[in-house]
Every structure is written in structure tokens, then in C-alpha cells.
Amino acid sequence: MPKLISVRLHGRGKIRYFDPGAYDLKSGSAVIVQTDQGLELGLCTGMITEVGEDSPLAKDLQGILREASEEDWAQYQENLELEKEAFAICQQEIDRHELPMKLVAAEYVLNRRRLIFYFTADGRVDFRLLVKDLASAFCTRIELRQIGVRDEACLKGGLGMCGRCLCCASYMQDFYPVSIKMAKEQNLSMNPAKISGACGRLLCCLRYEEAAYADANKRLPKRGDLVDTPKGKGVVQEVNLLKESLRVRLEAEGEEGESLIFPATEVSRIKRRSNKERK
């Protein structure tokens, strides 16, 4: 069966999979790989895993060239320092050319035959003169890549409102569509500050339990529905989707009854109220 190991290139960004070959690698091992950009140093983020022949991860796997040596690691560390200088110089050139773009990161391939600058912008940017000046300054191949704000958060990293490392910068492989409907289904506040991530877009984690919330919303009564409980009939005041429990205001003759919490399994819906009636 094919074997693979996950590798995070350049210590950031998305994880890619490679064939470990005869190398005995483990999480944290530094390796040298060949990518479309050139030679790169990456850190293994998992253990060697066997997958099925029909697994999409097993298709077009590139092999690990070698384990990183002390010289490779020293070169990588030196590149990190040079990237800081390159970032500063590029920012100066952007300001001089008055280009409407925000520089995000600079990245050298291991052998420094290519220098990549990542930036964000509202639209297309004509940076031909900028590339020409940068090529003269660094005497290497220059590449400018326009990325989105979610990719920017992935490259920069940081902590989310949960206190943990951003999902996109730690383990997420792809960005999936997230909609405001997901936040509504989970009964979250529509305050943008509470449902937006570091990138300013809707939180990626809204998608994680979307299927469970959608299923619960289909099965459970809605707020305002008339239901039958072990204590009698009442109207649903509040729905807790995670606990699958309902707060019900019981009906009493001539007056409002008490408000009690019941497990959803003990409640049956008698009548579904319309949206107009709920309001």
C-alpha cells in the first residue's frame, strides 16, 4: 500500500503530502522536498501513514528528497532573516510606486533562486515596474502572488477568539464556503465581531457542526410552537440545540403558567406557529 507523510512547507501555510520512501520520519522531522517553486524545507506534521490505492492523497505523490542537514537548516534560518530585509525593501518600493496593494509576506526558496512576495489588493494591480526594480535589487527570480484575506490569515497565523491557533494556520487543508445561514441555524448573535475571524470573514468553525445543527433544527420544535409536555400543553420559549432541550411556558387557565425546561424527547409538537405569529 502507498505510504505518505504530511509536511508543512516553510513552517507555515497549507500541509502537503509526500512519499517518505525509505526515510524513517516522524512528526517534527525536517525534510527537503522539490515543489513547483523549487527546493523547500518543510517540517513533518504527522507520522508515516498507509493509504489505499484509490485514495486521492496517493495520486501524483512526490518523494522526499532527503532529510534536512545542519547546512540546510542553517540556510533556512538565514533565509528567514533575509526575508525580513526583502519585505522591508519591497514595502519601500510599493510606497514609491504608489501601488494600491498590501504586502503580506516574503518567502525565499531554499536555494534562493526564487523570491516570492504575497500581497492583497481590492482589484488587479499593474506591478510590472515593481517586479523589474525588485529583480535588480535582489538579482534573483521575483514572483508576486495576489492572495485573499483568508490566505493572509493562514500565512500570518495568530490566535482565534477561542484562544487557540487559527484553524487555517494549523491543520485546515482548504477553505470551505461559510454562510450567514449557518450562524442563524446555530442561534448565534448576528454581531459581526462575534461571528467573524481574524481575516474579517465569517468564522470557518461555523461549518464544523453545521450538519448536527441542521439536523436538530429539523427535528426539534421552533420557538413559538404549541407543544405537549408531561406537565401539560405550553408554548416553546427557547430552544437549546446542543442539549436538545426546550424551555416551555405552560398554559394555565386565565393566567400564564410557569416556565420549565424539558428534554426534547419528552415533548411533542401540537401546532407549528407561523413566522408572523412568532413575532
Side-chain angles (χ1 to χ4, degrees), residues 5-9 12-17 45 57 151 154 166-176 204 208:
I5 190 166
S6 56
V7 178
R8 190 184 298 280
L9 301 177
R12 63 190 181 194
K14 296 180 180 179
I15 293 172
R16 294 180 57 180
Y17 294 92
T45 60
L57 297 178
D151 295 294
C154 178
L166 297 178
C167 298
C168 58
S170 54
Y171 66 89
M172 277 180 60
Q173 294 301 294
D174 292 296
F175 292 113
Y176 298 100
C204 292
Y208 297 166

Side-chain angles (χ1 to χ4, degrees), residues 7-36:
V7 178
R8 190 184 298 280
L9 301 177
H10 209 77
R12 63 190 181 194
K14 296 180 180 179
I15 293 172
R16 294 180 57 180
Y17 294 92
F18 293 86
D19 181 355
Y23 294 105
D24 183 20
L25 303 172
K26 57 185 179 181
S27 182
S29 296
V31 295
I32 305 299
V33 296
Q34 180 74 41
T35 68
D36 296 337

Side-chain angles (χ1 to χ4, degrees), residues 35-100:
T35 68
D36 296 337
Q37 297 178 175
L39 283 180
E40 295 196 65
L41 183 144
L43 297 176
C44 297
T45 60
M47 307 299 288
I48 296 176
T49 306
E50 290 187 348
V51 295
E53 296 284 351
D54 57 345
S55 172
L57 297 178
K59 295 180 180 179
D60 302 322
L61 271 182
Q62 291 182 304
I64 300 290
L65 294 183
R66 64 177 186 274
E67 293 189 71
S69 63
E70 292 184 5
E71 291 78 10
D72 292 324
W73 190 255
Q75 178 79 25
Y76 172 72
Q77 295 295 330
E78 187 177 349
N79 286 353
L80 294 181
E81 295 302 318
L82 291 175
E83 287 170 2
K84 296 178 183 178
E85 298 178 14
F87 185 94
I89 293 173
C90 183
Q91 186 61 63
Q92 291 175 2
E93 292 297 321
I94 290 174
D95 294 339
R96 187 171 68 85
H97 287 281
E98 298 182 347
L99 294 173

Side-chain angles (χ1 to χ4, degrees), residues 63 68 75 106 114 133 203 223 229 257 269 272:
Q75 178 79 25
R114 182 179 301 193
D133 290 342
L203 291 163
R223 186 172 62 87
T229 74
R269 181 164 46 208
R272 181 186 291 273

